Amino acid sequence: MITLALKLLIVHFLADFALQPDSWVAAKNKKQQKSPFLYYHIGIHVLLLLVVFQFDWSYWLLFLVYTLSHFIFDLVKLFLNGRLNPRFLFAIDQMAHLIVIFLLVGFYNSFNIDWNTLISPGILLFIATFLALTSVSSVIIKQMMSRWNVQSLENDESLKNAGKYIGMLERLFIFGFILLHQWQAIGFLIAAKSIFRFSDLSRAKDRKLTEYMIIGTFISFGLAILISVLYLYVADAL
C-alpha cells in the first residue's frame, strides 16, 4: 500500500512541479484546452506512470483513472482561472489530485479507516493546540497591542499581514522545537529574528517602533512556550 502511494505521489510531484516549466503554465492559462502544453503535460504523466510502474499493464485501470482525472481537473482549473482566487484554486486542484491518489490506493489495497482514531483525544488536542498557536494567539496579541497606535508604527512598504503570518510560523517552530526537546533552538530562532529585524529598526531610528516590536515578539514567544508546555502536560495525562 505504501509503495503504491509513494509511486503515485512521485509521479504527481515530478509531472506537476519538477517537470512543468512556468512557460507551460502561462501558455495553458492563456489558450486553455487549445494549448499543446496541456497535452504535453498529460503525456509526461502517462510516461512517468509507465516508467515508475515498469510497464506493468495489470495497473491499466489505475493508469486510465489517474490520467483522465488529472486531465479533467486541469481543464476545470483552466476554465476557472481568473474567476476564483488563484491560491484557493491551486489548493482545491491539488487536493482533488491527492484524493484520487488516495482512492486508487484504497482500490488496489483494501484498508479500513478507524474513524474513532481520527477523533481521539490526542488528535483533538493537537488540533486545538494548532489553532491556539495560530489564529487564537494572533487575536490575543492584537488585543494586547491595541493600546498603541499601530497605524503610525506600521511601514507602508511591508507586505500585507506579513507580521501576522511570521508570528504564526515562529510559534509553530517553537512548538516543534519543544516537542523535540530542543529548547536551545528557540534561542537561535530569537537570534535569527533579531538579526533580520535589526537593520529595519536601525534604519527607522524610531524608539517606539523598536519597543513595539520587542513587546510583540516577547508576547508571541511567551504564548508559544506556554501553549506548548500545556500541550505536553495534557498529552502526558491522556
Side-chain angles (χ1 to χ4, degrees), residues 97-118:
H97 293 315
L98 293 177
I99 289 174
V100 169
I101 290 175
F102 177 82
L103 293 176
L104 287 172
V105 172
F107 178 78
Y108 280 89
N109 298 271
S110 59
F111 57 91
N112 297 319
I113 299 177
D114 187 357
W115 296 104
N116 290 326
T117 302
L118 296 178

Side-chain angles (χ1 to χ4, degrees), residues 116-137:
N116 290 326
T117 302
L118 296 178
I119 56 173
S120 64
I123 297 296
L124 295 177
L125 174 63
F126 183 83
I127 293 173
T129 303
F130 179 85
L131 293 174
L133 287 167
T134 53
S135 302
V136 177
S137 292

Side-chain angles (χ1 to χ4, degrees), residues 6-177:
L6 289 175
K7 286 182 177 180
L8 289 173
L9 285 175
I10 287 172
V11 171
H12 176 64
F13 291 159
L14 283 174
D16 252 26
F17 298 96
L19 299 178
Q20 183 172 209
D22 292 339
S23 58
W24 288 22
V25 176
K28 289 193 300 179
N29 289 333
K30 183 178 181 180
K31 296 184 178 181
Q32 297 179 336
Q33 79 277 7
K34 296 180 180 180
S35 173
F37 295 106
L38 171 62
Y39 305 97
Y40 296 163
H41 175 62
I42 298 301
I44 288 177
H45 274 281
V46 174
L47 180 60
L48 287 173
L49 279 172
L50 294 175
V51 171
V52 171
F53 283 86
Q54 299 177 319
F55 295 88
D56 185 352
W57 293 104
S58 64
Y59 288 102
W60 68 269
L61 183 59
L62 180 147
F63 299 157
L64 180 63
V65 173
Y66 178 94
T67 304
L68 285 178
S69 65
H70 202 100
F71 179 69
I72 292 171
F73 293 155
D74 276 14
L75 272 182
V76 172
K77 181 182 177 183
L78 290 175
F79 282 117
L80 292 178
N81 187 41
R83 297 181 176 89
L84 296 177
N85 184 292
R87 292 178 295 277
F88 174 76
L89 193 58
F90 172 80
I92 293 298
D93 175 63
Q94 292 302 315
M95 189 178 298
H97 293 315
L98 293 177
I99 289 174
V100 169
I101 290 175
F102 177 82
L103 293 176
L104 287 172
V105 172
F107 178 78
Y108 280 89
N109 298 271
S110 59
F111 57 91
N112 297 319
I113 299 177
D114 187 357
W115 296 104
N116 290 326
T117 302
L118 296 178
I119 56 173
S120 64
I123 297 296
L124 295 177
L125 174 63
F126 183 83
I127 293 173
T129 303
F130 179 85
L131 293 174
L133 287 167
T134 53
S135 302
V136 177
S137 292
S138 295
V139 174
I140 292 174
I141 294 171
K142 182 178 180 180
Q143 291 297 320
M144 295 179 69
M145 303 292 288
S146 62
R147 61 179 299 178
W148 294 287
N149 186 1
V150 180
Q151 297 298 327
S152 64
L153 299 175
E154 286 181 337
N155 187 348
D156 293 335
E157 297 179 356
S158 176
L159 295 174
K160 184 179 180 181
N161 293 326
K164 175 182 176 181
Y165 295 120
I166 290 172
M168 288 182 178
L169 289 172
E170 73 185 17
R171 289 190 293 274
L172 290 175
F173 273 121
I174 291 173
F175 177 60
F177 293 149

